[in-house]
Amino acid sequence: MTLGQVALLAVLVLPALGALLLALPIGGDRAGRIVGTGFAALAFLASLPLIGDPAGAGRFTDGPEAGPPGVVPWHQIDLAWVPALDLRFHLGVDGISYPLVLLTTALTLLCCGYTIWRAPHGGSGSGGSDSSGRSGRALIALLLVIEVGIVGTFLALDLVLFFVFFEVVLLPMYAIIAGWGGSGGRADSAGADSAHRRAATKFAIYTLAGSVLLLVGVVTAVTAAGTADLTILTGGGELTRGTQLAAFTLLALAFAIKAPLWPLHTWLPDAHSQAPTVGSVILAGVLLKMGTYGLIRVAVGVAPEGARWAAPVLGTLAVVAIIVGSLVCLAQTELKRLIAYSSIGHMGFVLLGIATLSATGIQAALIGNIAHGVITGLLFFLAGAIKDRFHTGELSALGGLREQSPALAGLLGYAAIASLGLPGLAGFWGEAFAVVAAVQRGGVLWTTLAALAAVGAALTAAYLLRMLRRVAHGPPGPAVRATPAGPITRPEALAWAPLIVATLAIGLLPVLVLGVAEAPVQTLLEVIR
């Protein structure tokens, strides 16, 4: 086996092994958290060798020199899984999936490391004490299971295997929201206790609905084509036009729930506002990307006729998400809910880029995915720090943060202006070039969508600047006056620093993402046209 093939297995096996060890009744809570973080670090290191040579991205680096043209992995493993059904354990990585794999392993490591020093107490009724003795280690075990599901989704090149990994994340994320959500697992009232459980249940119901649609779409495509191999299915050559239209409709709806796309977004604000900080970071940073990645790799790749047929509708819904998400953010009064609704607008730009079915649009979607994961992950870390210090996220109770904690206020300002798309920071490229791609598509519809998306970008700046004014400026609010902010702690600095640096690095050097994705995107577009 080559180093790349070993890394493909290691990036899945290591977090799974870590989660299994943490499930055993061995050692204390803090020791378990350290061990789990160690496995997350090893998984991150294992993801680094997965990168291939972007200049040689048109060739297999493992396996045959000539292969199916739709997906050309840098590294791949293809083993018999269920021979009777011709299902294979087929993993591979290319420039479309690699940045997302690296983002997933990095964010999981940061969240696990953060949990070593600041673990929310698990389970309502714990009375604020870590009575189970394993609250923090159980949380890290669930984060590692989620990592396996998300990374596996990005690496799977068998459609049934893709579905299996896609479903792995459901129960662990439900458990994190239900068990550690609300007031850090400490219910201040019966109503507060039930809120995070309602949010977790809503997340599960929506996700299960998407799972049913995804399963039917997968079965439709696999039975019609006679294979589940994505390298063969990509391009839709084995499927009739009618099958492609039906498969794309089912798959797009499933991925729209996960992304989420308006009007299937209503689970997201509740899940974010009730999840613990690390749960929100993973949810916004990488779990939502399963939907947009699936839309590119599976829905568009397997059913390109369906994608061309539905592109105007998808583009219209994307712009509606941008406008509606921004307007709702202007009316929000709670910090985490505002950031959650902002994700709907940002994912709208990603989906607009995908809908154009152009190289510029899909490249914009890919860098927009990474930028959103980095910036929104940082925003949720900062929102969690503010809520930890002042015990509220209500904008009316905050204010004057720059007087109490200028460093924290400055970082919040940095993340906010990155999120609004300031040139030179990561958020600019995806949103700007999604609009450019719509203009290049031409025609009255796409030009109108581009203009409305640009208006949405202006609204994005408006609600983020409003948030900064309410939180960082003006006279101190009641919560800020009552509680000293305290300095930024070393664990917080260690968790936030990589995201701060990545936001600037991607903004100044977008080639870090676009360089590795250019050849695979061109290969995909050549096949689906």
Side-chain angles (χ1 to χ4, degrees), residues 451-476:
L452 291 174
V455 172
L459 292 174
T460 300
Y463 71 71
L464 286 168
L465 292 175
R466 168 183 173 269
M467 180 270 289
L468 280 179
R469 180 180 64 83
R470 297 285 299 274
V471 175
H473 299 275

Side-chain angles (χ1 to χ4, degrees), residues 100-505:
L100 291 167
V101 171
L102 192 63
L103 177 65
T104 303
T105 58
L107 282 181
T108 303
L109 173 58
L110 296 179
C111 287
C112 290
Y114 185 80
T115 305
I116 292 178
W117 289 277
R118 191 181 293 276
H121 297 282
S124 61
S126 66
S129 64
D130 196 2
S131 58
S132 69
R134 291 183 174 85
S135 171
R137 67 183 289 157
L139 176 59
I140 288 184
L142 292 172
L143 290 174
L144 292 174
V145 174
I146 291 173
E147 181 180 18
V148 173
I150 297 175
V151 171
T153 298
F154 296 147
L155 295 180
L157 292 179
D158 180 279
L159 202 49
V160 175
L161 184 64
F162 175 92
F163 173 78
V164 171
F165 279 123
F166 197 89
E167 295 309 301
V168 166
V169 303
L170 170 58
L171 290 179
M173 183 54 73
Y174 170 86
I176 287 176
I177 299 171
W180 285 266
S183 302
R186 300 184 297 269
D188 297 322
S189 66
D193 181 26
S194 61
H196 63 276
R197 296 190 180 277
R198 287 197 301 269
T201 301
K202 192 173 184 179
F203 164 79
I205 291 172
Y206 270 82
T207 303
L208 283 172
S211 300
V212 172
L213 293 169
L214 179 59
L215 177 60
V216 177
V218 166
V219 171
T220 299
V222 170
T223 55
T227 179
D229 192 333
L230 273 172
T231 63
I232 298 173
L233 286 169
T234 299
E238 304 293 326
L239 305 176
T240 65
R241 175 178 169 80
T243 302
Q244 288 193 42
L245 297 185
F248 184 84
T249 300
L250 292 164
L251 295 170
L253 285 172
F255 296 134
I257 291 173
K258 184 72 77 174
L261 176 63
W262 182 92
L264 304 173
H265 66 283
T266 57
W267 63 269
L268 183 66
D270 291 337
H272 270 311
S273 60
Q274 294 299 322
T277 296
V278 293
S280 291
V281 171
I282 293 297
L283 185 59
V286 286
L287 193 144
L288 304 187
K289 312 308 178 288
M290 296 167 67
T292 52
Y293 172 82
L295 198 58
I296 296 172
R297 177 71 85 199
V298 178
V300 172
V302 172
E305 287 286 338
R308 286 189 286 271
W309 166 71
V313 175
L314 187 63
T316 301
L317 291 176
V319 170
V320 171
I322 294 168
I323 299 295
V324 171
S326 299
L327 292 175
V328 173
C329 283
L330 284 169
Q332 288 306 300
T333 60
E334 203 276 334
L335 185 57
K336 286 188 73 174
R337 287 186 73 85
L338 187 152
I339 299 170
Y341 273 109
S342 76
S343 293
I344 297 167
H346 291 307
M347 288 295 98
F349 282 101
V350 171
L351 291 164
L352 176 62
I354 296 171
T356 66
L357 299 178
S358 66
T360 301
I362 294 180
Q363 288 272 56
L366 293 174
I367 195 169
N369 264 339
I370 301 301
H372 178 265
V374 171
I375 296 168
T376 307
L378 178 59
L379 279 170
F380 273 115
F381 267 131
L382 295 170
I386 290 172
K387 195 166 185 178
D388 286 341
R389 284 162 169 78
F390 305 114
H391 312 296
T392 183
E394 291 295 326
L395 300 183
S396 60
L398 299 171
L401 183 62
R402 66 174 184 171
E403 303 296 334
Q404 280 264 24
S405 179
L408 186 58
L411 288 176
L412 183 65
Y414 174 81
I417 62 173
S419 185
L420 64 82
L422 185 75
L425 296 177
F428 169 74
W429 298 104
E431 297 185 5
F433 282 94
V435 175
V436 169
V439 172
Q440 290 176 342
R441 182 71 186 263
V444 174
L445 174 63
W446 290 100
T447 303
T448 302
L449 293 179
L452 291 174
V455 172
L459 292 174
T460 300
Y463 71 71
L464 286 168
L465 292 175
R466 168 183 173 269
M467 180 270 289
L468 280 179
R469 180 180 64 83
R470 297 285 299 274
V471 175
H473 299 275
V480 176
R481 287 197 304 269
T483 309
I488 294 174
T489 65
R490 180 175 298 178
E492 289 173 334
L494 291 174
W496 303 347
L499 301 179
I500 295 168
V501 173
T503 298
L504 182 60

